[in-house]
Amino acid sequence: QLQLQESGPGLVKPSETLSLTCDVSGGSINSGDYFWGWIRQPPGKGLQWIAEFRQSGSTYYNPSLESRVTTSVDTSRNLFSLRLSSVTAADTAIYYCARRARVGGSGGHLFDLWGQGSPVTVSS
Amino acid sequence: EIVMTQSPATLSVSPGERATLSCRASQSVTNNWLAWYRQKPGQAPRLLIYGASTRATGIPARFSGSGSGTEFTLTISSLQSEDFAVYFCLQYDKWPLTFGGGTKVEIK
């Protein structure tokens, strides 16, 4: 059974770079027609999609964050990563990694697997 | 960007009663690529409905989704204790993917 697990620093200082990793276990990140990506949720607020990639090489970013976001994948270790630069208090959130897959032959890809979330606080 | 607006922000319902949640899109969601998720405190969201009206695997029949274009509805026919949570809609039609702000269903 495929599982996702985020790991991150917990606390990041303003203006620094946040780095998060998502370990994929129980299956290969290379197999299947999936998108792998990141979503965040500020305390008490809604969800914001950050970025995602496909093994075909395509990567997609939220325009509101694109200038500060970098994603990467390490297929040998079956994990992918997120870097968010120049963080401020507004970047304080729970960061989720998630998979988008076609569900039930619907034709569209939607989030069907999520990690448990990695809380990140931006504070000096 | 497609802006998703959910209403109401909070819904107070008694156990066993019906709950109706709304999600409105700022432009048409093609192919009805609209999903609903339930999120309990401290947990990741769980998929309930996709394609606007299809229940995900393992989701009980008390959950139903309807709507098309820009107006979508999630109905919970008889609220159980585990249903008191926050519900989000998601459009997965166009990038950037966007979620609604959420509806909190609380015990009346």
Side-chain angles (χ1 to χ4, degrees):
Chain A
Q1 183 181 355
L2 196 82
Q3 292 186 321
L4 308 178
Q5 179 64 60
E6 307 89 347
S7 58
L11 179 66
V12 183
K13 289 183 168 56
S15 80
E16 293 188 344
T17 295
L18 162 65
S19 294
L20 292 161
T21 296
C22 182
D23 283 282
V24 181
S25 60
S28 173
I29 200 171
N30 267 332
S31 66
D33 179 23
Y34 304 119
F35 291 84
W36 303 92
W38 296 93
I39 299 152
R40 70 181 183 179
Q41 186 171 32
K45 295 188 178 180
L47 298 156
Q48 183 183 34
W49 173 80
I50 301 171
E52 64 187 12
F53 68 93
R54 223 167 175 177
Q55 274 308 96
S56 62
S58 303
T59 304
Y60 306 87
Y61 298 100
N62 192 316
S64 68
L65 298 167
E66 183 170 9
S67 63
R68 298 193 291 129
V69 170
T70 305
T71 60
S72 61
V73 57
D74 186 337
T75 53
S76 65
R77 297 169 62 195
N78 217 36
L79 59 81
F80 59 99
S81 301
L82 172 76
R83 289 171 59 86
L84 180 65
S85 63
S86 305
V87 297
T88 69
D91 296 310
T92 294
I94 296 175
Y95 286 76
Y96 294 98
C97 60
R99 183 184 78 173
R100 278 212 299 149
R102 293 186 198 275
V103 174
S106 67
H109 289 74
L110 59 149
F111 298 108
D112 68 331
L113 280 178
W114 300 65
Q116 284 302 299
S118 179
V120 175
T121 300
V122 178
S123 174
S124 55
Chain B
E1 170 175 326
I2 300 178
V3 177
M4 307 300 291
T5 303
Q6 288 186 244
S7 61
T10 303
L11 188 60
S12 298
V13 186
S14 299
E17 290 189 339
R18 173 187 295 261
T20 303
L21 289 67
S22 174
C23 177
R24 176 175 294 177
S26 62
Q27 57 185 275
S28 185
V29 178
T30 307
N31 298 309
N32 289 336
W33 284 358
L34 184 287
W36 289 93
Y37 293 82
R38 177 179 68 187
Q39 186 178 32
K40 298 179 183 179
Q43 297 184 15
R46 180 181 179 182
L47 177 64
L48 301 173
I49 300 286
Y50 62 92
S53 61
T54 302
R55 280 190 302 277
T57 301
I59 301 303
R62 65 179 183 272
F63 291 93
S64 63
S66 63
S68 63
T70 61
E71 300 282 344
F72 300 91
T73 300
L74 174 70
T75 301
I76 311 170
S77 60
S78 177
L79 276 160
Q80 307 298 304
S81 57
E82 63 267 29
D83 300 332
F84 292 96
V86 179
Y87 293 79
F88 294 100
C89 60
L90 161 73
Q91 68 80 17
Y92 52 102
D93 175 32
K94 293 182 175 62
W95 285 286
L97 308 179
T98 46
F99 294 87
T103 291
K104 181 180 180 180
V105 178
E106 63 177 25
I107 299 176
K108 186 175 181 180

